[in-house]
Amino acid sequence: MEETIKYIKAKTDGFKPEIGLILGSGLGEFADDYCEYALLYSDIPNFIKSSVKGHKGRLVFSEIEGKKVVMMQGRNHFYEGYTMSEITYPVKVMKELGVKTIILTNAAGAVNESFRPGDLMLITDHINFMGTNPLIGPNDEKFGERFPDMSEIYKKDLIKLAKKCAEKLGIDIQRGVYFATSGPSYETPAEINMARILGADAVGMSTVPEAIVANYCGLKVLGISCISNAASGISDMKLSHMEVIETTNKAKTRFKSLILSILKAL
Ligand code: HPA
């Protein structure tokens, strides 16, 4: 960690971010417009490279709407074969850089049948169905306690603030519970039925590990899903990664204005 932080600080002239933003599938372009410093993941000591299409793999630093922000243009996923501690390492890096609030974004399938592709959803809570937990292993008290409370990961005040921002922009925003699976296969219709019965509104393959670690480190978390498709079995359409990227790409203008408005209001 020391090596990682030393390298980042040296390459960014000591830029001290206060807000972290992890950009999910199809949403990474946001960082292209705000790019004071950009470091390739592969150049950062002990960081890892992202290999999924549609992800760039850069850590981008910029002042946006008067806030100092560090952005991950593309994240690493459990299904790529990385360990939980590898995929959540960047969250700890952000904590070490001074980040206090983290915005986690993703593309997700709609489990809630009233949601439409292109909708944005504020994550109110999550269900970890990945079969593991990123905090398994020896605990480093420097970051957080052994048994962290999880009763309000996605902070109510941030959800309220984001909702207000969306209203001001005329964006009809959804709220709901994000259900995380390991992937990489999409779910079966039976699994989506189960997720719905368990209280899920959206389903995806990311975000939850980062949210658990961010909460553990004492970061305030805001989660935003871009609904990219109806989940398995809801429509007759077969699911494809292309569709996910295309739909999130179409939502990117709304996504961008919402993020800008949130950053301004924070
Ligand atoms: N399931 C899981 N992950 C996803 C989906 C989905 O339907 N859409 C985007 N990410």
Side-chain angles (χ1 to χ4, degrees):
M1 181 58 82
E2 259 174 50
E3 262 178 25
T4 308
I5 298 297
K6 198 172 154 203
Y7 177 88
I8 293 173
K9 284 194 169 160
K11 293 285 178 189
T12 56
D13 304 321
F15 184 99
K16 209 173 171 325
E18 50 194 315
I19 297 166
L21 173 58
I22 299 188
L23 296 162
S25 303
L27 303 169
E29 244 179 63
F30 176 85
D32 288 341
D33 295 339
Y34 309 95
C35 213
E36 281 176 46
Y37 305 94
L39 312 179
L40 285 176
Y41 294 164
S42 52
D43 287 342
I44 305 172
N46 312 321
F47 226 75
I48 38 174
K49 216 163 104 186
S50 180
S51 54
V52 170
K53 264 194 235 157
H55 292 157
K56 274 195 174 162
R58 298 194 309 170
L59 198 60
V60 178
F61 297 77
S62 189
E63 187 163 319
I64 310 173
E65 297 289 1
K67 304 290 168 9
K68 288 204 159 75
V69 186
V70 53
M71 291 165 276
M72 281 189 78
Q73 211 169 24
R75 61 151 63 79
N76 303 295
H77 296 85
F78 189 51
Y79 60 71
E80 291 172 274
Y82 297 111
T83 64
M84 278 280 162
S85 75
E86 282 170 330
I87 61 175
T88 54
Y89 185 71
V91 174
K92 289 183 177 166
V93 169
M94 286 185 179
K95 168 77 181 176
E96 289 288 288
L97 290 172
V99 164
K100 301 279 187 285
T101 303
I102 190 163
I103 305 174
L104 304 174
T105 70
N106 59 54
V111 175
N112 186 322
E113 287 170 316
S114 72
F115 292 0
R116 294 286 161 263
D119 280 358
L120 298 175
M121 182 192 90
L122 298 171
I123 302 176
T124 53
D125 205 349
H126 74 225
I127 296 172
N128 178 11
F129 215 77
M130 295 180 107
T132 184
N133 187 299
L135 302 178
I136 290 174
N139 186 47
D140 185 349
E141 291 286 330
K142 185 177 112 191
F143 286 106
E145 58 184 301
R146 175 77 288 188
F147 301 107
D149 173 69
M150 299 265 280
S151 54
E152 195 190 337
I153 297 187
Y154 305 90
K155 292 284 175 277
K156 289 198 176 83
D157 59 338
L158 292 180
I159 293 172
K160 226 172 162 179
L161 177 146
K163 182 145 180 33
K164 260 196 191 154
C165 291
E167 273 165 8
K168 260 197 226 156
L169 293 165
I171 297 172
D172 198 14
I173 201 151
Q174 311 283 7
R175 289 193 218 203
V177 173
Y178 179 90
F179 186 96
T181 70
S182 69
S185 50
Y186 287 114
E187 303 70 35
T188 63
E191 286 164 348
I192 292 303
N193 258 330
M194 174 197 69
R196 189 179 303 111
I197 291 165
L198 295 181
D201 296 290
V203 59
M205 304 171 192
S206 67
T207 304
V208 161
E210 292 110 314
I212 292 172
V213 171
N215 173 70
Y216 157 77
C217 291
L219 301 182
K220 293 177 76 175
V221 180
L222 175 67
I224 307 173
S225 292
C226 177
I227 301 299
S228 55
N229 56 280
S232 174
I234 293 179
S235 83
D236 294 335
M237 288 252 295
K238 286 213 185 323
L239 303 191
S240 79
H241 188 59
M242 269 309 283
E243 183 200 355
V244 169
I245 300 295
E246 277 169 15
T247 310
T248 47
N249 256 307
K250 277 186 212 148
K252 71 185 172 199
T253 315
R254 260 175 314 132
F255 174 78
K256 182 177 173 178
S257 44
L258 180 63
I259 294 289
L260 289 178
S261 166
I262 291 169
L263 289 176
K264 194 170 181 180
L266 274 171

